[in-house]
């Protein structure tokens, strides 16, 4: 399996390439953001990109955005020394599929790679038949074929992560979904990742689908998680 590692620290490159080679991966290395972007665009055979945030010439956030703008759908695992919620969200917002905070153990990196590969394969598999391509809850609609969302007929612009989160919520209406379940199902992460990331994205979704003071659809269930459901007439009056 061919991977692209975009990393400028020789010690980190050495550990990752040696460890992943022993695990059966073929790793190509780019020492800066600009060359990493070129290699990713020129070689569609990479099955995953490991991308450091702090890079010369072009940082990882810029590289990630450029790849997604070019419609490159290859899974991206971002490496960062900055583990705050804000920095994690910035990386995910730029189009990354997962992140790993430095320093990390090689075993965890390998597990994250396997997790992303499982998710990629699951996404590639047809889950919804053409007749079932439209998810609907009240006046909120999501077309899983065109990836378009709308409410009361007005288009809602979603990032890739917001789309995946809304799709999972709409496939599980009126069910209480824990933050860990959302992390595992939407981000494909099987670890104790900072669950504040879920709260941040729920707030993003709420602002977009409740625009112009429309009734709230994403309910917070205190201590348990979130639930997507229509408000009753009684709830609307309070």
């Amino acid at each position: 399996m061919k991977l692209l590692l975009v990393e400028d620290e020789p010690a980190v490159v050495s550990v990752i390439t040696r460890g992943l080679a022993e695990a059966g991966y073929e790793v190509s290395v780019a020492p800066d953001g600009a060359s990493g972007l070129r290699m990713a665009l020129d070689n569609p055979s990479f099955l995953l990109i490991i991308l450091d945030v702090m890079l010369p010439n072009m940082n990882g956030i810029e590289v990630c955005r450029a790849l997604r703008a070019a419609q490159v759908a290859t899974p991206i695992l971002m490496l960062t020394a900055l583990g705050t919620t804000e920095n994690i969200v910035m990386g995910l917002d730029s189009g990354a599929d997962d992140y790993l905070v430095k320093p990390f153990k090689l075993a965890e990196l390998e597990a994250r790679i396997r997790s992303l590969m499982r998710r990629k394969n699951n996404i590639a598999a047809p889950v919804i038949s053409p007749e079932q391509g439209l998810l609907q809850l009240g006046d909120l609609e999501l077309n899983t074929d065109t990836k378009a969302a709308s409410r009361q007929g007005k288009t809602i612009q979603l990032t890739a992560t917001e789309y995946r989160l809304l799709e999972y919520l709409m496939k599980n209406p009126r069910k209480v979904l824990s933050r860990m379940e959302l992390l595992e199902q939407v981000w494909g992460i099987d670890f104790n990742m900072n669950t504040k990331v879920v709260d941040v994205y729920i707030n993003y979704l709420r602002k977009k689908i409740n625009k112009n003071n429309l009734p709230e659809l994403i309910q917070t269930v205190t201590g348990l998680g979130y639930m997507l459901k229509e408000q009753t007439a009684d709830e609307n009056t309070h």
Side-chain angles (χ1 to χ4, degrees), residues 74-85:
T74 307
I76 295 175
L77 171 60
M78 197 162 271
L79 305 180
T80 174
L82 308 170
T84 66
T85 301

Side-chain angles (χ1 to χ4, degrees), residues 33 37 49 51-52 58-70 72 74-78 90-97:
L37 177 61
I49 299 167
L51 178 63
D52 189 33
M58 198 176 180
N59 67 45
I61 300 292
E62 294 169 327
V63 172
C64 193
R65 285 178 179 151
L67 288 172
R68 295 313 188 216
V72 174
T74 307
I76 295 175
L77 171 60
M78 197 162 271
M90 186 186 300
L92 295 172
D93 270 352
S94 70
D97 298 275

Side-chain angles (χ1 to χ4, degrees), residues 52-54 79-83 100-102:
D52 189 33
V53 172
M54 304 299 291
L79 305 180
T80 174
L82 308 170
L100 194 54
V101 177
K102 294 178 178 179

Side-chain angles (χ1 to χ4, degrees), residues 48-49 51 68 75-80 88 91-92 95-100 108-109 111-113 115-116 119 164 187-191 193:
L48 184 133
I49 299 167
L51 178 63
R68 295 313 188 216
I76 295 175
L77 171 60
M78 197 162 271
L79 305 180
T80 174
I88 292 164
L92 295 172
D97 298 275
D98 193 4
Y99 79 98
L100 194 54
E108 184 175 5
L109 174 62
R112 296 290 181 105
I113 291 171
S115 178
L116 284 172
R119 190 175 110 196
R164 292 196 302 267
W187 280 268
I189 296 169
D190 308 318
F191 302 92
M193 177 171 150

